[in-house]
Amino acid sequence: MFENPTVSVIGLGYVGLPLAVALARHFDVIGFDTNRQRVEELRAGHDRTGELSVGELADSKLEYIADESFLSEAHIHIVTVPTPVGPDNKPDLRAVESASRMVGRHLKMGTVVVYESTVYPGVTEDFCGPILEEESGLTSGQDFFLGYSPERINPGDKVHRVDLITKVVAGQTHNVSQLLARLYGTMNGNNIFVARDIRTAEASKVIENAQRDINIAFVNEIATIFQKMGISVHDVLEAAGTKWNFLPFTPGLVGGHCIGVDPYYLAHAAQQLNIEPKVILAGRSINDGMAHRIADNIDAQLSGPSKILVLGIAFKENVPDIRNSKVADLIARLAVHGHTVDVFDPMADAAETKHEYDIDLVAEPATGYDAVVGAVAHSAFDQLSLRKLAKPDGLIADIKAIWRQRGVPDGMTYWTL
């Protein structure tokens, strides 16, 4: 359909930026974002997500724009905007709708619009397609075409990069599927799986993280059970992990923009069909409740209102991403118990944390805390001096088992899941 297409990537976050840079090695690529500050930062060689280095940005021929009129130059549009849930845990498709309306204003005959945002089956064709038609005056499947290729970005993962993993693609027609296979295959050595259709590709994405969520929920539940028995779940998992087919999941807080969100998209789709997704929602309930359960356990080991240091606010280790961080829920629950909480995270942005959660990060932790909570396993926390941070008889609540092998100074109380 196109020999040398110009590609636009809509949204330059954790998903869009690495994809755009990878594609720009082979095609003319327009990297678009509505956040002009983000665009200016990238032009200056700074990626606040930490996914790409200054050198990688400097070496790329990717064009960064915040002016939507440039989108009319593209033959293929790839939409990578966020798909969160609202306060009621229902899908929030406002960003996808907005991006679709914008792309629709610049569609031309033969254009292909590909969605990478996580959605439930049917959104690309039944929700986005009509919006594109409305804005463009063109007909989907005749004048322009739809595609879907689920994103598989794992923030902070330098091994499973977008150009090194299998890409699932699906198009509205056979020719579109083959076009997308060639497009994405150019950047990842033709490591492509062509799904049967768009709905199949959408479904494959939404179950990937739902599956992980359910497995983590199981481990979180057994952690609660074994605690009551006086058994360390980490010791149990080490023993069980010697079996060849045991799945290596670990307990903890489940946040972020994928595992903590995607199952609700699948649950919503099921409920639209009058099917109650019991396993999916049970897993979500367990994982969403872990922050409060952990905070209550910490509170039970302290003698009244205490001064607590929480290490980490990001949703996972070694990334600055604070989206949907369940550590924020943990901190709020500790405050409900009357504790004073300092939060230290050298990777997170202080202004973003304040805006998102009204939490003030400390530039450096103080000393003599009644409790130190290892909430996120940043590498920077491995060698912190617990003797300096905590009181001689303080509590070390090691949620992520950061210091489990190292141990804690004599006189301190060590607690983990």
Side-chain angles (χ1 to χ4, degrees), residues 59-351:
D59 291 340
S60 177
K61 61 178 184 178
L62 176 63
E63 182 181 2
Y64 305 103
I65 64 167
D67 181 351
E68 68 172 75
S69 66
F70 284 88
L71 297 178
S72 61
E73 300 176 6
H75 304 99
I76 300 174
H77 300 284
I78 302 177
V79 178
T80 66
V81 298
T83 45
V85 293
D88 57 355
N89 290 324
K90 299 298 183 184
D92 180 353
L93 297 175
R94 286 178 297 176
V96 169
E97 178 181 359
S98 178
S100 297
R101 293 198 181 282
M102 180 180 63
V103 169
R105 291 193 289 270
H106 302 281
L107 277 187
K108 54 192 176 185
M109 294 289 288
T111 303
V112 176
V113 184
V114 186
Y115 290 86
E116 290 215 1
S117 306
T118 301
V119 293
Y120 53 85
V123 168
T124 298
E125 293 166 295
D126 301 338
F127 180 80
C128 299
I131 294 172
L132 293 168
E133 288 182 324
E134 178 185 341
E135 294 293 331
S136 67
L138 302 176
T139 301
S140 176
Q142 176 180 307
D143 301 326
F144 71 89
F145 301 91
L146 299 170
Y148 188 79
S149 181
E151 62 90 359
R152 285 174 166 170
I153 293 294
N154 182 25
D157 190 336
K158 302 304 182 183
V159 176
H160 301 100
R161 302 181 319 190
V162 68
D163 56 339
L164 298 176
I165 60 172
T166 301
K167 263 303 229 172
V168 174
V169 301
Q172 200 169 14
T173 68
H174 172 76
N175 285 343
V176 174
S177 292
Q178 294 307 306
L179 169 67
L180 298 183
R182 292 196 301 273
L183 176 76
Y184 285 103
T186 300
M187 74 166 185
N188 77 345
N190 293 313
N191 187 6
I192 301 295
F193 180 91
V194 180
R196 181 178 296 274
D197 51 35
I198 289 176
R199 280 172 166 76
T200 299
E202 290 170 326
S204 74
K205 170 56 184 175
V206 80
I207 71 164
E208 289 175 9
N209 287 322
Q211 182 189 66
R212 289 184 58 79
D213 192 47
I214 291 166
N215 278 283
I216 297 171
F218 169 73
V219 176
N220 276 336
E221 185 167 65
I222 64 171
T224 302
I225 294 169
F226 292 148
Q227 272 190 344
K228 294 289 186 180
M229 297 179 177
I231 303 170
S232 165
V233 70
H234 293 288
D235 291 341
V236 174
L237 292 174
E238 280 185 356
T242 61
K243 188 168 187 281
W244 62 90
N245 60 353
F246 187 80
L247 302 178
F249 289 92
T250 55
L253 302 174
V254 185
H257 194 62
C258 293
I259 299 180
V261 172
D262 295 356
Y264 286 122
Y265 275 72
L266 183 55
H268 173 78
Q271 290 165 340
Q272 295 296 103
L273 300 169
N274 295 318
I275 298 172
E276 189 59 27
K278 296 180 181 178
V279 173
I280 296 167
L281 291 181
R284 277 284 75 229
S285 176
I286 290 169
N287 288 339
D288 274 349
M290 278 301 289
H292 283 192
R293 285 196 288 275
I294 292 171
D296 293 347
N297 267 283
I298 293 171
D299 173 70
Q301 299 178 70
L302 297 171
S303 301
S306 302
K307 186 178 180 182
I308 298 175
L309 172 66
V310 171
L311 294 172
I313 187 65
F315 88 89
K316 65 174 288 189
E317 66 278 2
N318 299 322
V319 300
D321 194 347
I322 65 169
R323 293 176 298 173
N324 193 32
S325 172
K326 296 304 177 183
V327 182
D329 295 344
L330 171 73
I331 294 165
R333 184 70 169 183
L334 290 171
V336 167
H337 284 297
H339 304 296
T340 301
V341 183
D342 282 354
V343 185
F344 175 62
D345 191 323
M347 300 204 68
D349 182 85

